[in-house]
Amino acid sequence: MKTLLIFTLFLISVGGGESGRVMGYSGGGVLIKCRYETQYTSNPKYLCEAPWPCMTKPIWTDAKNEWINRGRFSLFDDTRAAQFWVVIRELTVEDSGTYNCAVDKDLAIDVYTPVELKVEEVHQYMKSISVTGHVGGGVNISCKYPQSHSSNPKFLCRRVGTPDCSYETSVKESRRWRNEGKLSLHDDRAKQIFTVIINSLTEGDSGEYWCGAESDWTSDHGYKVYITQVNLRVTEEEPPSKISSSSPSSTIPQSTKATASPTSISTGNSSSEINSSNEFPASSVISIVCVILLVFLIGLIFMIVAVRKRLRPQDVDSTPTQGSSNYTDLVAVYSNVEETGNLPDSEARVSTVYSSLSSPTNPSDSSQHIYDNV
């Protein structure tokens, strides 16, 4: 009879609600919600494994309204909402099994609410991804999720200093963007891809995020599943992007115009590298060769002119000309007149002199003829 009474009290105490089913994925995590009667707000809470009687308690606490951590398990007792949350991180397939959300009662049988946890190893979904953005810019985050969560609301949450992962909004419809502050969320249930765009990044946005889904969160046995970890890193603002040769010349600084080659010029950092080559452009090489050939041809022309000048005959011949010979004869006639004082005595003699001046005879002969006539 006593045994039957104890068993009856156990059934009354255990009847905290029907069993909840929780689906998790290897490498991810789950947040399980456990409700209790308001009369138990001051009682300790815990999570235990296996059916009654629970011999293994991964976490137990009598603290209120604060997170208590023990290994991969964390518990938060929200006395105002008469519920406590349990987080299990870094799930493995071996974590699958039956758990109990329990209320510790002094001198009485504890209150249990069973939870069936199933952890799947899903290789086609990324367990962790890394994303890098720049201050003032934006990033695009895409997460693949299992078919079993297609109809569930999706969210991107951030973990900062606490075991839980907080967020402000979720998307509940397929193929419709939901905007909330800097976030834009989109769920394509046909392709099972959840996308989030974060705009106007700051360095403070760096941290650990999770892509996840809610499952009956508003019910007594609701839970949240964290599927893909997102490590976001935000760096300093990127310098001005590349200046391309196809850009208008008015946008290129004067100092750049003077040295710009036909290839594009980059003024960016590591993500924006210098694209111009260190070698001379082909047009510069051709110009240099043309200048060298022109100088060589000019030098060759000057050499030819100099050689021709040296080989050209003298302008003035040493042999006296006919005119100079006649002039010499005339001088000799007048010199003879001055010495002798005798003028030509006849017109014939004068005619002879003029005739000798105009005739093309040898100078020596003309001179001799003049003296004979005088």
Side-chain angles (χ1 to χ4, degrees):
M1 184 67 180
K2 183 178 180 180
T3 304
L4 180 61
L5 178 61
I6 294 174
F7 182 73
T8 302
L9 291 174
F10 166 72
L11 291 177
I12 296 173
S13 298
V14 170
E18 62 180 0
S19 176
R21 297 184 180 275
V22 176
M23 179 68 69
Y25 303 95
S26 178
V30 290
L31 173 64
I32 303 171
K33 181 171 62 176
C34 303
R35 287 195 182 276
Y36 57 82
E37 299 294 331
T38 56
Q39 59 182 324
Y40 301 127
T41 55
S42 60
N43 294 70
K45 313 299 186 303
Y46 64 91
L47 181 75
C48 66
E49 297 181 41
W52 185 89
C54 284
M55 303 303 296
T56 304
K57 299 179 180 179
I59 188 167
W60 180 97
T61 181
D62 58 359
K64 309 302 176 186
N65 302 311
E66 64 174 311
W67 281 102
I68 302 300
N69 304 310
R70 181 178 293 178
R72 296 185 297 119
F73 295 83
S74 300
L75 190 150
F76 184 94
D77 186 7
D78 186 354
T79 57
R80 290 166 295 186
Q83 63 184 20
F84 68 92
W85 305 331
V86 176
V87 174
I88 308 176
R89 298 178 299 275
E90 301 174 17
L91 292 171
T92 64
V93 176
E94 288 74 19
D95 290 325
S96 299
T98 301
Y99 294 80
N100 282 293
C101 295
V103 176
D104 194 343
K105 296 171 60 178
D106 292 334
L107 305 176
I109 299 177
D110 296 343
V111 179
Y112 298 99
T113 302
V115 176
E116 294 290 335
L117 173 62
K118 183 180 181 180
V119 179
E120 292 184 351
E121 181 73 45
V122 185
H123 297 284
Q124 64 265 36
Y125 306 120
M126 297 293 293
K127 297 180 180 180
S128 177
I129 60 176
S130 297
V131 180
T132 301
H134 300 284
V135 173
V139 292
N140 190 315
I141 301 170
S142 294
C143 301
K144 183 80 172 175
Y145 58 82
Q147 177 66 36
S148 57
H149 291 290
S150 293
S151 59
N152 299 143
K154 311 303 185 304
F155 61 83
L156 180 75
C157 65
R158 183 180 184 184
R159 178 171 290 143
V160 182
T162 59
D164 68 328
C165 196
S166 60
Y167 60 92
E168 296 180 358
T169 187
S170 61
V171 58
K172 300 178 176 64
E173 299 177 85
S174 179
R175 297 183 179 179
R176 178 172 295 183
W177 284 97
R178 171 74 183 275
N179 300 318
E180 185 70 29
K182 301 195 303 180
L183 300 180
S184 296
L185 294 80
H186 183 269
D187 183 17
D188 189 336
R189 294 181 179 179
K191 297 180 179 179
Q192 302 169 38
I193 296 177
F194 171 55
T195 303
V196 179
I197 298 176
I198 307 178
N199 297 306
S200 304
L201 291 171
T202 65
E203 290 187 354
D205 291 325
S206 299
E208 178 186 345
Y209 294 78
W210 284 86
C211 291
E214 301 175 355
S215 180
D216 297 326
W217 181 245
T218 56
S219 69
D220 291 345
H221 303 286
Y223 70 96
K224 297 178 182 179
V225 56
Y226 307 123
I227 303 172
T228 302
Q229 181 180 357
V230 180
N231 299 306
L232 174 61
R233 178 173 174 265
V234 181
T235 61
E236 289 291 338
E237 186 174 3
E238 199 173 14
S241 57
K242 299 178 181 180
I243 301 176
S244 176
S245 59
S246 61
S247 302
S249 59
S250 59
T251 62
I252 304 177
Q254 294 298 324
S255 59
T256 306
K257 291 181 183 179
T259 58
S261 66
T263 54
S264 60
I265 298 175
S266 167
T267 58
N269 57 9
S270 64
S271 65
S272 303
E273 300 177 352
I274 298 178
N275 296 325
S276 59
S277 175
N278 293 328
E279 300 178 355
F280 285 108
S283 59
S284 300
V285 175
I286 295 174
S287 300
I288 294 174
V289 172
C290 291
V291 171
I292 294 174
L293 291 176
L294 182 61
V295 173
F296 176 77
L297 290 175
I298 293 174
L300 183 62
I301 291 173
F302 275 107
M303 290 179 61
I304 294 174
V305 171
V307 171
R308 293 187 63 182
K309 283 185 177 181
R310 291 182 180 179
L311 297 178
R312 189 169 60 184
Q314 295 294 330
D315 293 337
V316 181
D317 200 320
S318 57
T319 306
T321 62
Q322 181 180 354
S324 61
S325 176
N326 294 335
Y327 175 77
T328 304
D329 293 340
L330 182 60
V331 171
V333 171
Y334 278 95
S335 297
N336 186 56
V337 171
E338 290 179 356
E339 291 177 1
T340 58
N342 295 323
L343 293 172
D345 55 84
S346 66
E347 184 178 353
R349 190 170 293 187
V350 174
S351 176
T352 302
V353 172
Y354 278 100
S355 177
S356 64
L357 289 175
S358 59
S359 59
T361 57
N362 189 280
S364 58
D365 297 337
S366 300
S367 177
Q368 185 64 36
H369 181 73
I370 293 172
Y371 278 108
D372 291 341
N373 290 330
V374 173

